[in-house]
Amino acid sequence: MKKMLCVMLSLVMVLCLMSGCDSLFAAGGETTGAEAGGNEPVKLTDKYTFEDPTDIEFDKRYVIYADENSVMVSSAKDYGMIAVYSITYAKEDAPVCGYEFMICDTAENAKKVIDLYATQGTTLTATEEDPTVLYAKSDGETLEAGIMVYQSYGMIQEATVSAYVEFYATSIGGTIQ
């Protein structure tokens, strides 16, 4: 079971090879989420709501949600994982940046997930507002590299964010919101 969990979690994190975790609340920028398309904030838990970063330009935001009925989350139930959100930003169907959020049932289980990812060389960070919400951020270049890998293996037909999002939602058992 642990091997299956590691495989599923590795799939989630393939695009989060992490060039470093940036702040979710960076100031400045040219186009805000509201200006880019009127995106509503994404309420992840009662204590934490994600708002579009203000320091990026994008014309499309994709939100994938997976709950306990998904392959991804159900395989991680021993770690207390209850949901996953993948939020990807694109401009003209090219990747801008992406966030992977994992929600655990307790802060203690969130720490176990952080430790598990650390053994794989990936850094997850708990949000200040809710320690059960973990995240990693990927920049556009990292996302583009991952998308190109998927295309090179024939998993997606074209190296676009929209093709990637469709594939990714299906592979983890999530839904595009």
Side-chain angles (χ1 to χ4, degrees), residues 2-175:
K2 185 174 180 178
K3 188 174 186 177
M4 175 67 162
L5 173 64
C6 287
V7 169
M8 293 303 294
L9 294 177
S10 294
L11 177 62
V12 168
M13 296 311 291
V14 83
L15 295 177
C16 295
L17 300 173
M18 298 311 295
S19 57
C21 287
D22 297 327
S23 171
L24 291 176
F25 308 104
E30 297 178 22
T31 306
T32 67
E35 293 168 348
N39 294 321
E40 293 293 322
V42 181
K43 185 174 181 174
L44 302 181
T45 67
D46 288 338
K47 296 179 184 177
Y48 182 73
T49 298
F50 177 78
E51 294 189 20
D52 292 331
T54 59
D55 63 339
I56 62 170
E57 285 189 59
F58 65 97
D59 56 21
K60 182 78 174 163
R61 178 185 79 178
Y62 297 90
V63 178
I64 300 172
Y65 170 71
D67 63 13
E68 67 276 352
N69 297 314
S70 72
V71 174
M72 164 69 190
V73 177
S74 67
S75 68
K77 68 180 176 184
D78 292 342
Y79 287 85
M81 193 173 301
I82 58 175
V84 170
Y85 286 85
S86 178
I87 302 174
T88 306
Y89 295 92
K91 184 156 180 98
E92 298 177 8
D93 219 8
V96 173
C97 72
Y99 295 86
E100 297 292 326
F101 289 96
M102 297 170 203
I103 298 146
C104 297
D105 56 357
T106 65
E108 293 77 24
N109 280 332
K111 176 71 172 121
K112 290 178 188 176
V113 173
I114 289 171
D115 293 343
L116 176 66
Y117 273 82
T119 66
Q120 306 291 318
T122 301
T123 302
L124 293 177
T125 304
T127 63
E128 290 181 29
E129 298 83 357
D130 188 342
T132 67
V133 179
L134 310 175
Y135 74 91
K137 180 185 177 190
S138 294
D139 61 23
E141 291 175 359
T142 303
L143 284 171
E144 184 175 36
I147 289 169
M148 291 172 67
V149 167
Y150 284 130
Q151 183 189 30
S152 71
Y153 282 106
M155 300 166 102
I156 57 177
Q157 295 299 311
E158 56 188 10
T160 62
V161 173
S162 56
Y164 158 73
V165 167
E166 289 291 330
F167 165 76
Y168 190 57
T170 301
S171 69
I172 68 167
T175 57

